[in-house]
Amino acid sequence: MHRPRHQRRCSRVFAAVLIVVVGLVGVAPVAEAATDTFVYAGCSPSRYQPGSAFEGNLKSLLTSISNAAPNGGYNSFTSGANTTGSGSPAAYGLYQCRGDLDNGDCASCVRSCLAQLDQVCPAAYAASLQLEACYVRYDSSAFAGQLDTAMVYRKCSTSTSTDGGFLKGRDAVLADLQQAGSNNGYKVSSAGDVQGVAQCLGDLAAADCATCLGQAVGQLKGTCGTALAADVYLAQCYVRYWANGYYFRPTQDYSQDDVGKTIAIAIGICAGLALLVVFVSFLRKTC
């Protein structure tokens, strides 16, 4: 016995909708830290005037950074003549992405960094902003290539451990990370349950990179003690380590970003199921 044509058509529509909704539920992404997660920013107290020559130089510089990011993980630029005495200083700047990013992800991160920089440090003569996977800095004075080991950011987990295995692994990782200067300025390492990453700015010579990383490790051990995770950023390098399970969230079990993404996914799934219920009810009435 054959069903009427309109019933067969309704069945096919229902099956198609069901497949789509189930597919959406099945492919809900797992929440993880984004490459553009904010880490820190610094802004000079001095501000330039809108419409000034420096503003024009800075806009040109930031455009050069944005255009260059898809082509490589590091570059530095100068825009305008260095005529500080006449009130129109040149703009100097650079960007750098984490060593494991491909060019597409690097470009995306740098664009996000530039957008946040404009919001956090409006009209500043000098500014820097670090995201999870990229960094942008500009100034009215030349700074590229000059060793600077000032500490700009530090974060230590509240959880600590005096376990011998953990401390041995941490020390081994930190010692290995200090060799990043001979590895194009970027290095990852692991020992036991401890992992780490270190990176120097691309304009640093290998010897200066080693000096910077050595000071970063000293700061890290001196201020974070036996923390299960720690980040130390100096002006031209950073060192991070974490025990398994603590990466991206050194001071709490879950970041606010992760919680927000999880809630958004749950709401999306519930909304999809609600629409399915409404549509099934509609099909029953019309078919």
Side-chain angles (χ1 to χ4, degrees):
M1 180 177 181
H2 296 288
R3 291 179 297 173
R5 180 177 300 175
H6 76 280
Q7 288 187 359
R8 294 199 301 273
R9 183 169 61 250
C10 287
S11 296
R12 288 195 296 268
V13 171
F14 173 77
V17 172
L18 182 61
I19 289 171
V20 169
V21 173
V22 171
L24 290 174
V25 173
V27 300
V30 177
E32 59 183 27
T35 57
D36 61 354
T37 300
F38 179 86
V39 178
Y40 73 83
C43 319
S44 69
S46 55
R47 296 290 189 266
Y48 59 81
Q49 292 298 315
S52 65
F54 179 75
E55 182 182 40
N57 290 337
L58 179 60
K59 286 183 177 179
S60 177
L61 174 84
L62 299 182
T63 297
S64 295
I65 287 176
S66 180
N67 291 340
N71 302 318
Y74 170 84
N75 213 331
S76 61
F77 301 90
T78 301
S79 177
N82 189 11
T83 54
T84 305
S86 64
S88 56
Y92 304 86
L94 58 79
Y95 77 90
Q96 176 158 288
C97 291
R98 200 173 62 204
D100 61 341
L101 258 61
D102 61 35
N103 287 352
D105 288 337
C106 177
S108 177
C109 187
V110 169
R111 286 193 295 267
S112 180
C113 195
L114 291 171
Q116 294 188 47
L117 191 64
D118 184 57
Q119 297 297 315
V120 174
C121 300
Y125 263 113
S128 61
L129 193 143
Q130 177 76 56
L131 299 184
E132 177 64 35
C134 64
Y135 172 74
V136 170
R137 179 184 175 185
Y138 73 82
D139 204 317
S140 58
S141 301
F143 62 87
Q146 302 175 20
L147 181 61
D148 183 356
T149 58
M151 185 168 67
V152 294
Y153 178 80
R154 177 184 68 241
K155 191 171 186 178
C156 315
S157 70
T158 55
S159 299
T160 61
S161 175
T162 56
D163 175 72
F166 162 72
L167 295 176
K168 181 178 180 181
R170 183 205 63 176
D171 290 347
V173 165
L174 293 179
D176 189 37
L177 291 178
Q178 292 182 67
Q179 308 305 313
S182 58
N183 191 51
N184 296 319
Y186 175 76
K187 191 171 180 62
V188 295
S189 182
S190 63
D193 292 332
V194 183
Q195 301 172 64
V197 60
Q199 188 168 21
C200 292
L201 282 182
D203 55 33
L204 280 189
D208 287 340
C209 179
T211 297
C212 190
L213 293 173
Q215 293 200 28
V217 168
Q219 294 265 15
L220 188 152
K221 285 187 173 182
T223 57
C224 291
T226 59
L228 282 172
D231 302 349
V232 169
Y233 288 79
L234 304 187
Q236 291 181 301
C237 68
Y238 67 83
V239 175
R240 310 175 71 181
Y241 79 83
W242 61 94
N244 287 348
Y246 278 81
Y247 190 41
F248 293 135
R249 47 181 71 94
T251 58
Q252 54 187 13
D253 289 337
Y254 298 95
S255 70
Q256 291 299 319
D257 285 344
D258 288 343
V259 173
K261 290 176 183 176
T262 302
I263 292 173
I265 292 168
I267 291 173
I269 292 173
C270 290
L273 292 176
L275 287 174
L276 177 62
V277 171
V278 171
F279 190 75
V280 169
S281 177
F282 172 78
L283 283 179
R284 286 178 176 174
K285 290 179 181 180
T286 59
C287 298

